[in-house]
Amino acid sequence: MTGIDEAGWLPPDVDRAIPSVARIYDYLLGGAHNLAADRAVADRLSAIQPQVAQVARRNRAFLRRAVRFMLDAGVRQFLDLGSGIPTVGNVHEVAQDVDESARVVYVDYEPVAVTHSRLLLAGNPHADVVQADVTLPGVVLGSEPVRALLDLTQPVGLLAVAVGHYLSPDADVPAVFATYRDSLAPGSHLALTHLTNDFAVLSDPRVAETMRSTQDHIYPRTRDEVLALFDGFTLVEPGLTTSANWRPDRLSPVVDPHDDGLYAGVGVRS
Ligand SMILES: C[S@@+](CC[C@H](N)C(=O)[O-])C[C@H]1O[C@@H](n2cnc3c(N)ncnc32)[C@H](O)[C@@H]1O
């Protein structure tokens, strides 16, 4: 097929043969910024576990609820780690709907995600994107958009939604989170979701094996390992739970934790 692969939206530094989770996730959410190689992986994942697309949608719904929760708590600036390709209900849209001066910095290392974020944010003085690896907090926090838009003496909503499980243990992930935490003022919030094998739904070894054919390998973590990422934050009710069960709203599906696949929680820095 020609078509969207040839539509001219692809940055030149993208290797079409190497799938990326940013584009796989975009496809699972019904987006159009993905390539044949990404769609093939997504289809393989869905064949192994037909609930994969629902996991992605529930994750995205959690993200929106968590941002609204932080807005209700008075947070007006957000640092979104592993923000992905813009799709419906982006953080700046949710936040600026409540307060048009709310500030958002997106961070991703994937060129399609960064290019499309940049296009979407053109003309928005309160939101920007940084192309960086989130395991390098010094690079992220020292970047021009963070310095220009975020006041780190005031509470920040730190989002690490569906990104932690792409970070290898070699990167010392708890230390990475601790560095972000230590740069944030009291009252800052951390919202995250994280893949786990504690539940059945995504624990099939073929899921991780399939992701090894992409540039984003996965490292599911146990409940205790995910809790460790909240070190220095006090979890708000209902604590660390599953994505659909974190403060569900009237649109949230009822999902048994064993069918969810993602731990989810929000903590406040004291
Ligand atoms: C599954 S998507 C999640 C997108 C968004 N946070 C959400 O929950 O809707 C994961 C994103 O994390 C990004 N990512 C993975 N590892 C990363 C890293 N080390 N540095 C920056 N971005 C990363 C991927 O490129 C992808 O866009």
Side-chain angles (χ1 to χ4, degrees):
M1 170 179 113
T2 58
I4 60 171
D5 289 13
E6 269 69 47
W9 53 262
L10 200 61
D13 50 341
V14 170
D15 183 340
R16 288 161 178 266
I18 303 178
S20 87
V21 71
R23 302 188 309 261
I24 294 166
Y25 184 66
D26 176 72
Y27 176 65
L28 289 170
L29 290 174
H33 297 109
N34 45 75
L35 301 168
D38 307 311
R39 296 190 285 274
V41 170
D43 290 344
R44 271 207 301 283
L45 291 172
S46 299
I48 297 165
Q49 176 44 266
Q51 291 196 50
V52 163
Q54 281 102 305
V55 171
R57 280 200 290 276
R58 292 196 294 260
N59 176 70
R60 195 74 196 168
F62 164 83
L63 171 70
R64 290 191 289 266
R65 295 199 303 282
V67 170
R68 281 194 208 103
F69 176 86
M70 294 184 191
L71 287 159
D72 287 348
V75 174
R76 288 294 182 270
Q77 44 179 4
F78 297 86
L79 181 59
D80 187 356
L81 304 176
S83 46
I85 295 172
T87 180
V88 177
N90 295 296
V91 173
H92 73 284
E93 292 160 348
V94 176
Q96 293 177 353
D97 203 32
V98 169
D99 180 341
E100 63 182 23
S101 69
R103 282 151 292 148
V104 179
V105 177
Y106 294 108
V107 184
D108 209 293
Y109 64 5
E110 207 278 339
V112 174
V114 173
T115 303
H116 285 276
S117 300
R118 214 161 260 152
L119 281 173
L120 184 72
L121 299 174
N124 188 327
H126 300 305
D128 206 346
V129 59
V130 179
Q131 182 161 20
D133 187 323
V134 302
T135 61
L136 303 173
V139 173
V140 172
L141 295 167
S143 67
E144 174 56 28
V146 169
R147 286 190 289 122
L149 288 175
L150 304 186
D151 175 359
L152 297 185
T153 68
Q154 297 300 314
V156 168
L158 180 66
L159 305 165
V161 180
V163 66
H165 45 254
Y166 301 107
L167 309 182
S168 155
D170 296 344
D172 194 353
V173 180
V176 168
F177 275 72
T179 306
Y180 283 109
R181 177 201 63 213
D182 290 346
S183 70
L184 300 180
S188 293
H189 288 55
L190 167 64
L192 67 75
T193 58
H194 201 296
L195 271 182
T196 184
N197 283 345
D198 291 354
F199 306 127
V201 65
L202 291 175
S203 62
D204 187 319
R206 291 175 298 166
V207 171
E209 196 183 301
T210 302
M211 288 305 291
R212 277 197 284 278
S213 68
T214 78
Q215 66 182 34
D216 304 285
H217 300 187
I218 56 168
Y219 307 94
R221 291 186 169 84
T222 64
R223 181 179 177 82
D224 283 349
E225 288 170 325
V226 176
L227 279 173
L229 305 182
F230 281 103
D231 190 33
F233 292 86
T234 303
L235 282 160
V236 303
E237 284 298 318
L240 188 67
T241 181
T242 49
S243 64
N245 284 340
W246 191 87
R247 293 180 179 251
D249 60 21
R250 66 188 170 75
L251 298 176
S252 304
V254 176
V255 183
D256 184 283
H258 282 275
D259 293 330
D260 194 295
L262 290 169
Y263 278 124
V266 173
V268 184
R269 176 154 167 45
S270 43

